[in-house]
Amino acid sequence: MESITKNAISIEKVQSSKIALVDFDNLAFGSVFSDHMLVCDYRNGAWENPKIVPYGPISLAPAAKIFHYGQSIFEGMKAYKDDTDSIFLFRPKDNHKRFNISASRMSMPELPEEYFMEGLKTLLELDKAWIPQSEGSAMYIRPFMFASGEGFHASPADAYKFMICLAPSGPYFAGKVKVLIEEKYSRSANGGVGYAKTGGNYAGQFHPTQLAKSKGYHQVIWTDDHKHENIEEAGAMNIFVRIGDTLITGPTSDRILDGITRKSVLEVAESEGIKTEVRTITVTEVVAAAKDGSLKEMFGAGTAAVISPIAGFGYRDTDYELQEVENSYAALFKKRITDIQYNRAKDPFGWRVEV
Amino acid sequence: MESITKNAISIEKVQSSKIALVDFDNLAFGSVFSDHMLVCDYRNGAWENPKIVPYGPISLAPAAKIFHYGQSIFEGMKAYKDDTDSIFLFRPKDNHKRFNISASRMSMPELPEEYFMEGLKTLLELDKAWIPQSEGSAMYIRPFMFASGEGFHASPADAYKFMICLAPSGPYFAGKVKVLIEEKYSRSANGGVGYAKTGGNYAGQFHPTQLAKSKGYHQVIWTDDHKHENIEEAGAMNIFVRIGDTLITGPTSDRILDGITRKSVLEVAESEGIKTEVRTITVTEVVAAAKDGSLKEMFGAGTAAVISPIAGFGYRDTDYELQEVENSYAALFKKRITDIQYNRAKDPFGWRVEV
């Protein structure tokens, strides 16, 4: 079946909510989960009807291919509540679209838009009391799919599970980060899976990131795997560099994720009359700009952190600090985007979707 | 705890064995599982005591990081039974060593050798009736570890599960394979995770392999991600090329798995007086050798298939066939290695380990 109505989603509610146990003023990121979750199985070449059930353990065969061959994809989204308790999503259809792009690269079945959107809205309505309202907090939404089909043959599974979990969350990062430009490890290959939101892209970053942390940095700036000459991503985020008054970000490719915050930043910049360049950023030019003072800002952009300002970077045993700037682009983009997300401002772009 | 005795492994046996339901004369690869499995949890910075329990579903939180961030590693091994019902493993400590190399790259805890070896032997003894004895069949052993710790923060998990499952299996491939030299997609990046046996390396291969299959090939020959000039791996196996009477394989690197069958082939070749070269293999030289007739053999080497002879390859819309050769290296290596594995011949290398 390719379409679904809200009525086709079965709902089993919790007997009693856990919400009273949660301290909404001190939420970490993604570590508390709401009362319900959505589960939808793909078997015999078709998606079955989605079910909303109490959040809780799932049971899988040890031979399920998720444990062996890494067929897993996900999206990161947020839901926001305004002063009148209305609920909003931010560009949710773009997440659905990217979810299917990831699915295709990982040989997993595409999910019809109705399953994604109706499932998400129904789940959010049910658990709307869990959406936090304090500054910087939001309901983090995690749609994900993995191979539940079994077997030790290294080939695509014959069954998959799509799920959505909700995690009321505080801010992802606290404060500015110090980053290290990576020259040994790499995030992705030409012709690889770097543009897909698949689990392996993240696990592969942990070790280099831990090494960077042991040297006093918070994160790694990824460069190309061939000569480490070009700046590609900032940890699990897209990267932006401001040299003079020009905002620069790398082009998306099969190595670089087509970030929704990234493209929102570019659109806000255009509407603000900020000069933007989407082109390869070289390490050489960034180091030179840091030395001559024209490097005004660097920041990561992603759903979890929205905008993550970079305080400085390390490269070949030298640390480069970025001075505070007036009229910070990072601050401007964060304000413009979050104002739209939280329904505090008009949305000339049509990004906000009321649930 | 860093060491363990067999007594520390708790055993819960099945009430009744499923073995009578299995057709041992028609085993597929890795799709039937023995009565028991081993489970060992890592929590609070330490490995707990391993448990052997009936093979069956495992329960995990939906926020377990295996579903989101791809922290998973595995090994492929086999157990063999000879005519006297003695059981043998092949270079098992090399698998353990590589398991820990993979663990380190994926920011997962290393597993002490005793846990691996004693757990494996205890499990195999319990399910030894499941080890098939027909030609080409063996007990496929799947040790694996994944992130069971929870949270949507993209960082290493705080808990892991190590498991061993056993799958009595027939041959991995039936017959010779036709392969396609890949020029668009890639398996691994310089500085990436290609040398680790981690799930994502396999999931990333499925889509290109499916495309190759749709063109009539069985598998992809991976080339470097930069210019696709060098031959690196054959699907999920290491690759060997015989030009004239010289056996050539690529050097291991951070892109290429340090295969146990690969190094066994090199050692057998040396003992047989076959000239070997471990060096970069270019697509150009293989195509030239195919054209001038000096390309005698190509084959993949890996635990599952042992030796997988290649019948021909496609490159830029041209197919190159390999003629049958007398005194095939592939056949020789397969015989030498499997004779040692099944205890049909002396083992001058010290590879065979009796359980």
Side-chain angles (χ1 to χ4, degrees), chain B residues 8-39:
Chain B
I9 302 174
S10 71
I11 300 180
E12 179 198 341
K13 289 190 190 177
V14 291
Q15 295 197 315
S16 62
S17 175
K18 301 168 301 186
I19 196 166
L21 304 173
V22 178
D23 177 3
F24 278 84
D25 293 327
N26 292 291
L27 288 168
F29 183 87
S31 55
V32 167
F33 311 100
S34 74
D35 282 329
H36 301 93
M37 63 185 188
L38 181 133
V39 186

Side-chain angles (χ1 to χ4, degrees), chain B residues 264-284:
Chain B
S264 302
V265 165
L266 288 172
E267 290 176 70
V268 169
E270 199 186 345
S271 77
E272 296 282 339
I274 291 169
K275 189 184 168 203
T276 60
E277 290 177 5
V278 177
R279 61 159 175 85
T280 301
I281 307 168
T282 67
V283 177
T284 311

Side-chain angles (χ1 to χ4, degrees), chain A residues 33 101 142 144 174 177 220 227 233 238 314-315 323 335:
Chain A
F33 311 99
I101 289 170
R142 173 53 59 89
F144 60 111
V177 295
V220 161
K227 293 192 169 173
E233 290 206 31
N238 294 113
Y315 180 64
Q323 304 302 317
K335 179 159 174 40

Side-chain angles (χ1 to χ4, degrees), chain A residues 93-210:
Chain A
K93 291 191 179 182
D94 289 355
N95 289 98
H96 170 259
K97 207 167 155 186
R98 189 173 61 186
F99 194 69
N100 280 348
I101 289 170
S102 298
S104 169
R105 180 62 181 88
M106 307 315 288
S107 287
M108 299 167 78
E110 292 188 6
L111 184 79
E113 185 182 290
E114 293 82 355
Y115 280 61
F116 191 91
M117 291 301 297
E118 288 305 318
L120 182 52
K121 287 180 179 180
T122 309
L123 182 63
L124 274 173
E125 275 167 19
L126 192 62
D127 280 351
K128 67 182 168 194
W130 288 80
I131 304 174
Q133 259 168 318
S134 58
E135 182 60 34
S137 296
M139 180 72 102
Y140 186 75
I141 302 167
R142 173 53 59 89
F144 60 111
M145 194 208 303
F146 59 87
S148 53
E150 301 170 33
F152 292 156
H153 203 286
S155 55
D158 60 1
Y160 296 86
K161 214 177 259 295
F162 169 67
M163 298 183 65
I164 306 177
C165 294
L166 305 176
S169 293
Y172 195 77
F173 288 109
K176 287 196 168 188
V177 295
K178 254 184 80 183
V179 299
L180 178 67
I181 296 181
E182 180 62 53
E183 290 209 283
K184 178 181 176 190
Y185 294 101
S186 302
R187 183 184 167 278
S188 60
N190 298 302
V193 301
Y195 69 97
K197 271 191 99 72
T198 182
N201 285 338
Y202 296 80
Q205 297 191 37
F206 293 165
H207 179 62
T209 303
Q210 283 181 318

